[in-house]
mmCIF file of all heavy atoms in Angstrom:
data_model
loop_
_atom_site.group_PDB
_atom_site.id
_atom_site.type_symbol
_atom_site.label_atom_id
_atom_site.label_comp_id
_atom_site.label_asym_id
_atom_site.label_seq_id
_atom_site.Cartn_x
_atom_site.Cartn_y
_atom_site.Cartn_z
ATOM 1 N N GLY F 1 0.811 -1.204 -0.013
ATOM 2 C CA GLY F 1 -0.003 0.004 0.005
ATOM 3 C C GLY F 1 0.820 1.249 -0.008
ATOM 4 O O GLY F 1 2.043 1.215 -0.267
ATOM 5 N N LEU F 2 0.194 2.356 0.311
ATOM 6 C CA LEU F 2 0.821 3.684 0.343
ATOM 7 C C LEU F 2 1.065 4.073 1.795
ATOM 8 O O LEU F 2 0.144 4.000 2.602
ATOM 9 C CB LEU F 2 -0.066 4.727 -0.370
ATOM 10 C CG LEU F 2 0.411 6.160 -0.314
ATOM 11 C CD1 LEU F 2 1.726 6.319 -1.061
ATOM 12 C CD2 LEU F 2 -0.665 7.061 -0.910
ATOM 13 N N VAL F 3 2.281 4.501 2.075
ATOM 14 C CA VAL F 3 2.626 4.935 3.439
ATOM 15 C C VAL F 3 3.600 6.095 3.366
ATOM 16 O O VAL F 3 4.333 6.232 2.402
ATOM 17 C CB VAL F 3 3.256 3.746 4.200
ATOM 18 C CG1 VAL F 3 4.583 3.346 3.583
ATOM 19 C CG2 VAL F 3 3.406 4.062 5.687
ATOM 20 N N GLN F 4 3.540 6.951 4.394
ATOM 21 C CA GLN F 4 4.475 8.063 4.452
ATOM 22 C C GLN F 4 5.833 7.618 4.967
ATOM 23 O O GLN F 4 5.955 6.590 5.639
ATOM 24 C CB GLN F 4 3.926 9.156 5.387
ATOM 25 C CG GLN F 4 2.662 9.834 4.879
ATOM 26 C CD GLN F 4 2.247 10.995 5.777
ATOM 27 O OE1 GLN F 4 3.070 11.600 6.440
ATOM 28 N NE2 GLN F 4 0.963 11.277 5.799
ATOM 29 N N ALA F 5 6.862 8.357 4.585
ATOM 30 C CA ALA F 5 8.209 8.051 5.043
ATOM 31 C C ALA F 5 8.233 7.982 6.576
ATOM 32 O O ALA F 5 7.618 8.813 7.260
ATOM 33 C CB ALA F 5 9.185 9.119 4.543
ATOM 34 N N GLY F 6 8.933 6.996 7.081
ATOM 35 C CA GLY F 6 8.985 6.767 8.515
ATOM 36 C C GLY F 6 7.922 5.810 9.024
ATOM 37 O O GLY F 6 8.009 5.353 10.195
ATOM 38 N N GLY F 7 6.969 5.465 8.198
ATOM 39 C CA GLY F 7 5.890 4.565 8.582
ATOM 40 C C GLY F 7 6.293 3.099 8.455
ATOM 41 O O GLY F 7 7.432 2.766 8.121
ATOM 42 N N SER F 8 5.303 2.228 8.665
ATOM 43 C CA SER F 8 5.541 0.794 8.657
ATOM 44 C C SER F 8 4.487 0.066 7.845
ATOM 45 O O SER F 8 3.350 0.513 7.728
ATOM 46 C CB SER F 8 5.538 0.223 10.088
ATOM 47 O OG SER F 8 6.538 0.804 10.878
ATOM 48 N N LEU F 9 4.866 -1.065 7.295
ATOM 49 C CA LEU F 9 3.979 -1.994 6.610
ATOM 50 C C LEU F 9 4.406 -3.410 6.947
ATOM 51 O O LEU F 9 5.597 -3.673 7.215
ATOM 52 C CB LEU F 9 4.005 -1.794 5.095
ATOM 53 C CG LEU F 9 3.300 -0.576 4.502
ATOM 54 C CD1 LEU F 9 3.581 -0.488 2.995
ATOM 55 C CD2 LEU F 9 1.819 -0.644 4.760
ATOM 56 N N ARG F 10 3.442 -4.318 6.881
ATOM 57 C CA ARG F 10 3.721 -5.729 7.127
ATOM 58 C C ARG F 10 3.148 -6.530 5.947
ATOM 59 O O ARG F 10 1.956 -6.570 5.729
ATOM 60 C CB ARG F 10 3.095 -6.213 8.433
ATOM 61 C CG ARG F 10 3.444 -7.665 8.800
ATOM 62 C CD ARG F 10 2.827 -8.024 10.147
ATOM 63 N NE ARG F 10 3.086 -9.409 10.554
ATOM 64 C CZ ARG F 10 4.176 -9.819 11.197
ATOM 65 N NH1 ARG F 10 5.126 -8.938 11.504
ATOM 66 N NH2 ARG F 10 4.321 -11.072 11.546
ATOM 67 N N LEU F 11 4.051 -7.181 5.192
ATOM 68 C CA LEU F 11 3.643 -7.989 4.070
ATOM 69 C C LEU F 11 3.490 -9.452 4.484
ATOM 70 O O LEU F 11 4.233 -9.928 5.353
ATOM 71 C CB LEU F 11 4.693 -7.899 2.940
ATOM 72 C CG LEU F 11 5.073 -6.497 2.444
ATOM 73 C CD1 LEU F 11 6.044 -6.605 1.305
ATOM 74 C CD2 LEU F 11 3.811 -5.708 2.039
ATOM 75 N N SER F 12 2.569 -10.132 3.855
ATOM 76 C CA SER F 12 2.346 -11.556 4.119
ATOM 77 C C SER F 12 2.295 -12.311 2.799
ATOM 78 O O SER F 12 1.915 -11.756 1.745
ATOM 79 C CB SER F 12 1.017 -11.793 4.863
ATOM 80 O OG SER F 12 0.993 -11.089 6.096
ATOM 81 N N CYS F 13 2.658 -13.571 2.837
ATOM 82 C CA CYS F 13 2.645 -14.419 1.646
ATOM 83 C C CYS F 13 2.380 -15.856 2.059
ATOM 84 O O CYS F 13 3.019 -16.345 3.020
ATOM 85 C CB CYS F 13 3.953 -14.281 0.883
ATOM 86 S SG CYS F 13 4.061 -15.316 -0.613
ATOM 87 N N ALA F 14 1.510 -16.525 1.347
ATOM 88 C CA ALA F 14 1.171 -17.917 1.629
ATOM 89 C C ALA F 14 0.736 -18.626 0.363
ATOM 90 O O ALA F 14 0.191 -17.999 -0.555
ATOM 91 C CB ALA F 14 0.074 -17.990 2.687
ATOM 92 N N PRO F 15 0.935 -19.927 0.274
ATOM 93 C CA PRO F 15 0.515 -20.663 -0.894
ATOM 94 C C PRO F 15 -1.013 -20.789 -0.946
ATOM 95 O O PRO F 15 -1.691 -20.813 0.059
ATOM 96 C CB PRO F 15 1.153 -22.055 -0.711
ATOM 97 C CG PRO F 15 2.224 -21.867 0.332
ATOM 98 C CD PRO F 15 1.700 -20.789 1.203
ATOM 99 N N SER F 16 -1.518 -20.851 -2.184
ATOM 100 C CA SER F 16 -2.904 -21.156 -2.373
ATOM 101 C C SER F 16 -3.121 -22.663 -2.273
ATOM 102 O O SER F 16 -2.200 -23.434 -2.089
ATOM 103 C CB SER F 16 -3.380 -20.640 -3.756
ATOM 104 O OG SER F 16 -2.665 -21.317 -4.794
ATOM 105 N N ALA F 17 -4.376 -23.086 -2.380
ATOM 106 C CA ALA F 17 -4.666 -24.504 -2.350
ATOM 107 C C ALA F 17 -4.028 -25.210 -3.515
ATOM 108 O O ALA F 17 -3.875 -24.642 -4.606
ATOM 109 C CB ALA F 17 -6.184 -24.724 -2.348
ATOM 110 N N THR F 18 -3.644 -26.443 -3.292
ATOM 111 C CA THR F 18 -2.986 -27.223 -4.329
ATOM 112 C C THR F 18 -3.362 -28.699 -4.202
ATOM 113 O O THR F 18 -3.752 -29.165 -3.132
ATOM 114 C CB THR F 18 -1.450 -27.093 -4.236
ATOM 115 O OG1 THR F 18 -0.815 -27.858 -5.225
ATOM 116 C CG2 THR F 18 -0.964 -27.536 -2.846
ATOM 117 N N LEU F 19 -3.245 -29.397 -5.303
ATOM 118 C CA LEU F 19 -3.508 -30.827 -5.319
ATOM 119 C C LEU F 19 -2.309 -31.626 -4.793
ATOM 120 O O LEU F 19 -2.457 -32.820 -4.495
ATOM 121 C CB LEU F 19 -3.844 -31.297 -6.732
ATOM 122 C CG LEU F 19 -5.118 -30.733 -7.351
ATOM 123 C CD1 LEU F 19 -5.266 -31.242 -8.793
ATOM 124 C CD2 LEU F 19 -6.344 -31.120 -6.530
ATOM 125 N N PHE F 20 -1.146 -30.986 -4.675
ATOM 126 C CA PHE F 20 0.063 -31.695 -4.281
ATOM 127 C C PHE F 20 0.432 -31.372 -2.829
ATOM 128 O O PHE F 20 0.162 -30.274 -2.316
ATOM 129 C CB PHE F 20 1.232 -31.309 -5.206
ATOM 130 C CG PHE F 20 0.995 -31.573 -6.635
ATOM 131 C CD1 PHE F 20 0.660 -30.542 -7.534
ATOM 132 C CD2 PHE F 20 1.109 -32.855 -7.154
ATOM 133 C CE1 PHE F 20 0.413 -30.800 -8.850
ATOM 134 C CE2 PHE F 20 0.893 -33.122 -8.492
ATOM 135 C CZ PHE F 20 0.561 -32.094 -9.344
ATOM 136 N N ASN F 21 1.045 -32.316 -2.184
ATOM 137 C CA ASN F 21 1.581 -32.123 -0.863
ATOM 138 C C ASN F 21 3.041 -31.633 -0.956
ATOM 139 O O ASN F 21 3.808 -32.111 -1.799
ATOM 140 C CB ASN F 21 1.536 -33.410 -0.055
ATOM 141 C CG ASN F 21 0.140 -33.834 0.288
ATOM 142 O OD1 ASN F 21 -0.718 -33.004 0.594
ATOM 143 N ND2 ASN F 21 -0.101 -35.133 0.241
ATOM 144 N N PHE F 22 3.384 -30.683 -0.131
ATOM 145 C CA PHE F 22 4.747 -30.124 -0.198
ATOM 146 C C PHE F 22 5.108 -29.511 1.145
ATOM 147 O O PHE F 22 4.244 -29.262 1.987
ATOM 148 C CB PHE F 22 4.870 -29.083 -1.290
ATOM 149 C CG PHE F 22 3.953 -27.915 -1.112
ATOM 150 C CD1 PHE F 22 4.313 -26.810 -0.347
ATOM 151 C CD2 PHE F 22 2.695 -27.884 -1.719
ATOM 152 C CE1 PHE F 22 3.475 -25.723 -0.169
ATOM 153 C CE2 PHE F 22 1.838 -26.820 -1.551
ATOM 154 C CZ PHE F 22 2.230 -25.746 -0.780
ATOM 155 N N ASN F 23 6.403 -29.267 1.312
ATOM 156 C CA ASN F 23 6.942 -28.548 2.459
ATOM 157 C C ASN F 23 7.666 -27.312 1.947
ATOM 158 O O ASN F 23 8.277 -27.350 0.872
ATOM 159 C CB ASN F 23 7.894 -29.392 3.248
ATOM 160 C CG ASN F 23 7.224 -30.583 3.917
ATOM 161 O OD1 ASN F 23 6.142 -30.454 4.485
ATOM 162 N ND2 ASN F 23 7.862 -31.756 3.854
ATOM 163 N N VAL F 24 7.593 -26.237 2.708
ATOM 164 C CA VAL F 24 8.350 -25.029 2.371
ATOM 165 C C VAL F 24 9.732 -25.121 2.981
ATOM 166 O O VAL F 24 9.849 -25.181 4.214
ATOM 167 C CB VAL F 24 7.630 -23.749 2.848
ATOM 168 C CG1 VAL F 24 8.443 -22.520 2.453
ATOM 169 C CG2 VAL F 24 6.231 -23.671 2.271
ATOM 170 N N ARG F 25 10.726 -25.121 2.161
ATOM 171 C CA ARG F 25 12.090 -25.195 2.669
ATOM 172 C C ARG F 25 12.610 -23.783 2.989
ATOM 173 O O ARG F 25 13.014 -23.521 4.127
ATOM 174 C CB ARG F 25 13.008 -25.880 1.635
ATOM 175 C CG ARG F 25 14.405 -26.055 2.142
ATOM 176 C CD ARG F 25 15.234 -26.850 1.165
ATOM 177 N NE ARG F 25 16.584 -27.091 1.629
ATOM 178 C CZ ARG F 25 17.523 -27.752 0.985
ATOM 179 N NH1 ARG F 25 17.249 -28.251 -0.210
ATOM 180 N NH2 ARG F 25 18.719 -27.926 1.491
ATOM 181 N N ASP F 26 12.644 -22.924 1.985
ATOM 182 C CA ASP F 26 13.151 -21.566 2.167
ATOM 183 C C ASP F 26 12.154 -20.532 1.647
ATOM 184 O O ASP F 26 11.441 -20.762 0.673
ATOM 185 C CB ASP F 26 14.483 -21.409 1.427
ATOM 186 C CG ASP F 26 15.527 -22.415 1.832
ATOM 187 O OD1 ASP F 26 15.613 -22.695 3.046
ATOM 188 O OD2 ASP F 26 16.240 -22.914 0.964
ATOM 189 N N TRP F 27 12.128 -19.376 2.312
ATOM 190 C CA TRP F 27 11.333 -18.227 1.899
ATOM 191 C C TRP F 27 12.301 -17.102 1.575
ATOM 192 O O TRP F 27 13.355 -16.950 2.173
ATOM 193 C CB TRP F 27 10.417 -17.763 3.023
ATOM 194 C CG TRP F 27 9.167 -18.582 3.278
ATOM 195 C CD1 TRP F 27 8.951 -19.382 4.339
ATOM 196 C CD2 TRP F 27 7.988 -18.572 2.492
ATOM 197 N NE1 TRP F 27 7.694 -19.908 4.269
ATOM 198 C CE2 TRP F 27 7.065 -19.424 3.140
ATOM 199 C CE3 TRP F 27 7.605 -17.943 1.306
ATOM 200 C CZ2 TRP F 27 5.786 -19.668 2.639
ATOM 201 C CZ3 TRP F 27 6.329 -18.197 0.810
ATOM 202 C CH2 TRP F 27 5.438 -19.041 1.487
ATOM 203 N N ALA F 28 11.840 -16.216 0.664
ATOM 204 C CA ALA F 28 12.608 -14.997 0.367
ATOM 205 C C ALA F 28 11.683 -13.913 -0.132
ATOM 206 O O ALA F 28 10.611 -14.186 -0.681
ATOM 207 C CB ALA F 28 13.678 -15.290 -0.679
ATOM 208 N N TRP F 29 12.114 -12.672 0.112
ATOM 209 C CA TRP F 29 11.420 -11.502 -0.422
ATOM 210 C C TRP F 29 12.370 -10.768 -1.357
ATOM 211 O O TRP F 29 13.545 -10.555 -1.021
ATOM 212 C CB TRP F 29 10.986 -10.531 0.696
ATOM 213 C CG TRP F 29 9.806 -11.004 1.500
ATOM 214 C CD1 TRP F 29 9.816 -11.683 2.676
ATOM 215 C CD2 TRP F 29 8.433 -10.855 1.138
ATOM 216 N NE1 TRP F 29 8.560 -11.915 3.096
ATOM 217 C CE2 TRP F 29 7.674 -11.427 2.193
ATOM 218 C CE3 TRP F 29 7.764 -10.258 0.068
ATOM 219 C CZ2 TRP F 29 6.274 -11.455 2.149
ATOM 220 C CZ3 TRP F 29 6.362 -10.285 0.062
ATOM 221 C CH2 TRP F 29 5.652 -10.871 1.080
ATOM 222 N N TYR F 30 11.870 -10.418 -2.509
ATOM 223 C CA TYR F 30 12.591 -9.619 -3.491
ATOM 224 C C TYR F 30 11.797 -8.333 -3.790
ATOM 225 O O TYR F 30 10.610 -8.249 -3.475
ATOM 226 C CB TYR F 30 12.777 -10.368 -4.810
ATOM 227 C CG TYR F 30 13.720 -11.570 -4.723
ATOM 228 C CD1 TYR F 30 13.331 -12.756 -4.122
ATOM 229 C CD2 TYR F 30 15.009 -11.478 -5.249
ATOM 230 C CE1 TYR F 30 14.182 -13.847 -4.064
ATOM 231 C CE2 TYR F 30 15.881 -12.570 -5.190
ATOM 232 C CZ TYR F 30 15.459 -13.731 -4.597
ATOM 233 O OH TYR F 30 16.330 -14.814 -4.542
ATOM 234 N N ARG F 31 12.465 -7.368 -4.378
ATOM 235 C CA ARG F 31 11.757 -6.171 -4.852
ATOM 236 C C ARG F 31 12.350 -5.725 -6.157
ATOM 237 O O ARG F 31 13.510 -5.989 -6.473
ATOM 238 C CB ARG F 31 11.809 -5.072 -3.788
ATOM 239 C CG ARG F 31 13.195 -4.484 -3.538
ATOM 240 C CD ARG F 31 13.124 -3.475 -2.391
ATOM 241 N NE ARG F 31 14.405 -2.872 -2.102
ATOM 242 C CZ ARG F 31 14.653 -2.064 -1.091
ATOM 243 N NH1 ARG F 31 13.674 -1.771 -0.235
ATOM 244 N NH2 ARG F 31 15.843 -1.555 -0.909
ATOM 245 N N GLN F 32 11.535 -5.001 -6.923
ATOM 246 C CA GLN F 32 11.966 -4.541 -8.241
ATOM 247 C C GLN F 32 11.308 -3.233 -8.592
ATOM 248 O O GLN F 32 10.111 -3.046 -8.397
ATOM 249 C CB GLN F 32 11.634 -5.614 -9.295
ATOM 250 C CG GLN F 32 12.186 -5.310 -10.651
ATOM 251 C CD GLN F 32 12.016 -6.479 -11.616
ATOM 252 O OE1 GLN F 32 11.084 -7.282 -11.467
ATOM 253 N NE2 GLN F 32 12.915 -6.598 -12.576
ATOM 254 N N VAL F 33 12.116 -2.336 -9.132
ATOM 255 C CA VAL F 33 11.628 -1.080 -9.707
ATOM 256 C C VAL F 33 11.738 -1.223 -11.222
ATOM 257 O O VAL F 33 12.727 -1.756 -11.717
ATOM 258 C CB VAL F 33 12.486 0.109 -9.200
ATOM 259 C CG1 VAL F 33 12.004 1.408 -9.833
ATOM 260 C CG2 VAL F 33 12.408 0.213 -7.680
ATOM 261 N N PRO F 34 10.772 -0.730 -11.976
ATOM 262 C CA PRO F 34 10.868 -0.807 -13.446
ATOM 263 C C PRO F 34 12.187 -0.267 -13.955
ATOM 264 O O PRO F 34 12.626 0.820 -13.571
ATOM 265 C CB PRO F 34 9.683 0.033 -13.920
ATOM 266 C CG PRO F 34 8.694 -0.094 -12.829
ATOM 267 C CD PRO F 34 9.492 -0.121 -11.564
ATOM 268 N N GLY F 35 12.839 -1.031 -14.828
ATOM 269 C CA GLY F 35 14.120 -0.658 -15.367
ATOM 270 C C GLY F 35 15.313 -1.113 -14.571
ATOM 271 O O GLY F 35 16.454 -0.910 -14.988
ATOM 272 N N ASN F 36 15.064 -1.699 -13.428
ATOM 273 C CA ASN F 36 16.134 -2.170 -12.552
ATOM 274 C C ASN F 36 16.032 -3.672 -12.357
ATOM 275 O O ASN F 36 14.967 -4.290 -12.575
ATOM 276 C CB ASN F 36 16.077 -1.498 -11.171
ATOM 277 C CG ASN F 36 16.469 -0.040 -11.210
ATOM 278 O OD1 ASN F 36 17.602 0.305 -10.955
ATOM 279 N ND2 ASN F 36 15.509 0.838 -11.526
ATOM 280 N N ALA F 37 17.137 -4.270 -11.961
ATOM 281 C CA ALA F 37 17.160 -5.700 -11.685
ATOM 282 C C ALA F 37 16.417 -6.014 -10.415
ATOM 283 O O ALA F 37 16.387 -5.211 -9.474
ATOM 284 C CB ALA F 37 18.590 -6.200 -11.614
ATOM 285 N N ARG F 38 15.827 -7.181 -10.355
ATOM 286 C CA ARG F 38 15.189 -7.636 -9.141
ATOM 287 C C ARG F 38 16.250 -7.960 -8.082
ATOM 288 O O ARG F 38 17.234 -8.639 -8.407
ATOM 289 C CB ARG F 38 14.322 -8.864 -9.421
ATOM 290 C CG ARG F 38 13.485 -9.302 -8.248
ATOM 291 C CD ARG F 38 12.546 -10.436 -8.651
ATOM 292 N NE ARG F 38 11.584 -9.994 -9.682
ATOM 293 C CZ ARG F 38 10.581 -10.726 -10.155
ATOM 294 N NH1 ARG F 38 10.402 -11.963 -9.676
ATOM 295 N NH2 ARG F 38 9.803 -10.286 -11.090
ATOM 296 N N GLU F 39 16.082 -7.448 -6.867
ATOM 297 C CA GLU F 39 17.082 -7.630 -5.860
ATOM 298 C C GLU F 39 16.518 -8.379 -4.645
ATOM 299 O O GLU F 39 15.354 -8.224 -4.301
ATOM 300 C CB GLU F 39 17.658 -6.287 -5.399
ATOM 301 C CG GLU F 39 16.669 -5.376 -4.706
ATOM 302 C CD GLU F 39 17.283 -4.137 -4.089
ATOM 303 O OE1 GLU F 39 18.516 -4.150 -3.847
ATOM 304 O OE2 GLU F 39 16.561 -3.149 -3.862
ATOM 305 N N LEU F 40 17.365 -9.152 -4.021
ATOM 306 C CA LEU F 40 16.999 -9.879 -2.831
ATOM 307 C C LEU F 40 16.928 -8.912 -1.658
ATOM 308 O O LEU F 40 17.875 -8.153 -1.406
ATOM 309 C CB LEU F 40 17.999 -10.987 -2.535
ATOM 310 C CG LEU F 40 17.793 -11.764 -1.238
ATOM 311 C CD1 LEU F 40 16.509 -12.595 -1.308
ATOM 312 C CD2 LEU F 40 18.986 -12.691 -0.960
ATOM 313 N N VAL F 41 15.811 -8.932 -0.919
ATOM 314 C CA VAL F 41 15.614 -8.091 0.223
ATOM 315 C C VAL F 41 15.918 -8.843 1.508
ATOM 316 O O VAL F 41 16.639 -8.364 2.405
ATOM 317 C CB VAL F 41 14.189 -7.499 0.271
ATOM 318 C CG1 VAL F 41 13.951 -6.700 1.541
ATOM 319 C CG2 VAL F 41 13.912 -6.663 -0.972
ATOM 320 N N ALA F 42 15.317 -10.020 1.646
ATOM 321 C CA ALA F 42 15.489 -10.842 2.849
ATOM 322 C C ALA F 42 15.182 -12.278 2.544
ATOM 323 O O ALA F 42 14.402 -12.587 1.614
ATOM 324 C CB ALA F 42 14.582 -10.339 3.977
ATOM 325 N N ALA F 43 15.784 -13.183 3.292
ATOM 326 C CA ALA F 43 15.553 -14.602 3.115
ATOM 327 C C ALA F 43 15.519 -15.286 4.477
ATOM 328 O O ALA F 43 16.209 -14.863 5.411
ATOM 329 C CB ALA F 43 16.624 -15.230 2.246
ATOM 330 N N ALA F 44 14.710 -16.315 4.576
ATOM 331 C CA ALA F 44 14.579 -17.113 5.810
ATOM 332 C C ALA F 44 14.690 -18.582 5.422
ATOM 333 O O ALA F 44 13.807 -19.119 4.756
ATOM 334 C CB ALA F 44 13.273 -16.837 6.512
ATOM 335 N N MET F 45 15.789 -19.225 5.832
ATOM 336 C CA MET F 45 16.001 -20.606 5.499
ATOM 337 C C MET F 45 15.330 -21.513 6.530
ATOM 338 O O MET F 45 15.071 -21.098 7.660
ATOM 339 C CB MET F 45 17.498 -20.894 5.403
ATOM 340 C CG MET F 45 18.138 -20.476 4.077
ATOM 341 S SD MET F 45 18.073 -18.672 3.794
ATOM 342 C CE MET F 45 19.378 -18.116 4.900
#
């Protein structure tokens, strides 16, 4: 969303329903600005 400088946001991410069983090994967050390369922000192994 939109926030003023100095403010806070909390992002969430989760898988949708699936026909397959799986485990999540590693999570990561990336970000990208148009015209720039996608960069790693944070990862949780």
Side-chain angles (χ1 to χ4, degrees):
L2 175 64
V3 65
Q4 295 185 26
S8 299
L9 285 174
R10 185 177 179 86
L11 306 183
S12 302
C13 179
S16 63
T18 179
L19 297 176
F20 302 102
N21 292 321
F22 60 87
N23 294 316
V24 180
R25 184 175 182 180
D26 304 320
W27 284 107
W29 287 96
Y30 292 76
R31 67 185 181 187
Q32 186 171 29
V33 178
N36 289 265
R38 187 173 298 185
E39 65 172 339
L40 176 67
V41 177
M45 280 64 76

